[in-house]
Amino acid sequence: MTTASALHHARGLRRLSDGALGWIGRHLDHFDPFTARGPASERPAAGPGGAHRPAKAALELALLTHCWTRLDGGADPRRAEATARVREIWRHPGFPALLTAEPRAAVQYRLACAAFAPAGTADAPFRADLALLTPADLSPAGRSPYQRLELRYYADKAGVPHTVEPYADLAARNVLVELPATALARAARRDLHKGRADAAARPDEPPVTVPEAYALTHSGFYLSDFARTGPGLPEGAVADAAALVARLLDHCVRHDWWDLAAELVMTQVCLGLDALGTPGGAAAVDLLARAQRPDGSLPGRSAATRAGAADPPAAYFAKAYHTTLVTALMTLLLAKADAG
């Protein structure tokens, strides 16, 4: 990368970061399940589905503040304000009920709540709920290798005993190791089945399925604790994983798939790569900079699903918050990696 292009990317990354973090700071009330977020008609419906979404948004805010605190030890008032809001939510007596409102996510949400809890929550109501987790909740039985990795990551950070195998065993069977060969084999089978002419004419397809793509990125996060350590993959596996990430990034840039692009750049950092020094990483950051609105938000997971300017505030937040938050975290990881 030339000096001029490095300066261009540094300035673009700063604008992207300041915009995303600024938007999050101005919308902390929307992350808070216990603060009014506009007219009642705009709020999520009551019941398990309605309770599930606010809990998820709050947990993602906690992840951001947890990583932000580790990555930047300075006295940033934006981080302090966001962390204080997470502390208020975590201390609220109604929060444990939101964590368990969606049964399929209850174990993960309880563990994530404890894993990303800020200082000052040692006696918060959610702590008592951890004792309600059963041996079956914390067992690898019936879970895929990826699900076992996810369980171990959150349980370890929460300080909760479990029976999941060691990280080295989980890494050896992880999608970061197995998916590269699987993706190449699928592509070869499609080309062989359809023939060269049909293969060239078929609609552009991602190299892996959507669930696999997100399992790939999240595996990078969990194995490296969001780039705090190396991923611990078997010898030679990083190069194959990086090649698949590059193919996915190329697909995301071509199709304006914003949230996955940000997660894949983070995955590059978690794999130990110089993300901005790769064509895919640099193109993805440029993509996100183009997609960012003047208020700092990324308006959805992709161009195809983005929110409209006329959407009510709560509806806009529901579509925009995840990609904006992931983009903010991506910029923090890139800045830390660039600082060495």
Side-chain angles (χ1 to χ4, degrees):
M1 185 182 294
T2 66
T3 302
S5 62
L7 286 172
H8 166 76
H9 282 296
R11 290 169 182 154
L13 191 65
R14 170 65 64 162
R15 287 194 296 271
L16 190 60
S17 183
D18 285 344
L21 291 170
W23 185 87
I24 291 167
R26 293 190 299 275
H27 291 80
L28 291 178
D29 280 356
H30 290 253
F31 285 94
D32 188 339
F34 309 107
T35 299
R37 296 180 300 281
S41 61
E42 294 180 2
R43 299 177 195 170
H52 175 72
R53 291 189 293 273
K56 184 175 185 295
L59 288 167
E60 291 193 22
L61 180 63
L63 167 64
L64 174 66
T65 59
H66 174 81
C67 292
W68 195 355
T69 299
R70 292 192 323 197
L71 293 165
D72 181 4
D76 192 321
R78 299 173 301 180
R79 187 184 71 239
E81 185 178 5
T83 303
R85 180 58 64 97
V86 171
R87 186 178 298 109
E88 291 175 13
I89 298 169
W90 263 228
R91 294 190 62 84
H92 196 285
F95 197 46
L98 294 186
L99 297 173
T100 58
E102 176 58 49
R104 291 173 298 177
V107 172
Q108 178 187 343
Y109 278 21
R110 284 170 164 174
L111 292 173
C113 176
F116 302 133
T121 57
D123 60 344
F126 76 86
R127 299 281 180 187
D129 260 19
L130 292 177
L132 301 177
L133 293 173
T134 68
D137 291 330
L138 301 162
S139 166
R143 290 181 167 88
S144 69
Y146 167 72
Q147 290 169 332
R148 297 202 296 273
L149 170 63
E150 183 177 58
L151 175 61
R152 171 154 200 148
Y153 176 73
Y154 286 120
D156 281 352
K157 289 187 72 68
V160 174
H162 58 81
T163 54
V164 181
E165 62 262 48
Y167 277 109
D169 296 338
L170 292 166
R173 299 183 59 195
N174 185 257
V175 291
L176 283 166
V177 175
E178 297 184 344
L179 263 184
T182 301
L184 289 174
R186 286 175 185 165
R189 285 196 299 270
R190 286 197 299 263
D191 291 350
L192 181 63
H193 177 69
K194 295 188 175 183
R196 290 183 180 274
D198 288 341
R202 71 172 182 264
D204 188 17
E205 300 176 9
V208 297
T209 67
V210 172
E212 286 172 338
Y214 286 108
L216 188 83
T217 61
H218 289 202
S219 290
F221 305 158
Y222 299 151
L223 285 170
S224 69
D225 193 9
F226 288 86
R228 188 178 65 85
T229 68
L233 297 179
E235 185 176 357
V238 169
D240 292 339
L244 178 55
V245 168
R247 291 172 62 201
L248 272 167
L249 272 171
D250 181 60
H251 182 86
C252 288
V253 170
R254 290 199 309 273
H255 293 274
D256 286 317
W257 194 348
W258 302 324
D259 83 305
L260 184 57
E263 290 199 13
L264 287 164
V265 173
M266 290 168 58
T267 304
Q268 289 185 312
V269 178
C270 292
L271 290 173
L273 305 179
D274 172 14
L276 284 178
T278 68
V285 171
D286 286 343
L287 168 73
L288 293 167
R290 292 193 301 271
Q292 188 175 43
R293 291 198 168 164
D295 66 358
S297 67
L298 280 294
R301 290 180 179 263
S302 67
T305 60
R306 62 185 160 195
D311 284 351
Y316 186 91
F317 175 83
K319 287 189 175 182
Y321 86 84
H322 172 78
T323 305
T324 305
L325 189 145
V326 169
T327 299
L329 182 52
M330 179 203 74
T331 66
L332 293 171
L333 287 178
L334 286 173
K336 180 65 173 180
D338 188 56

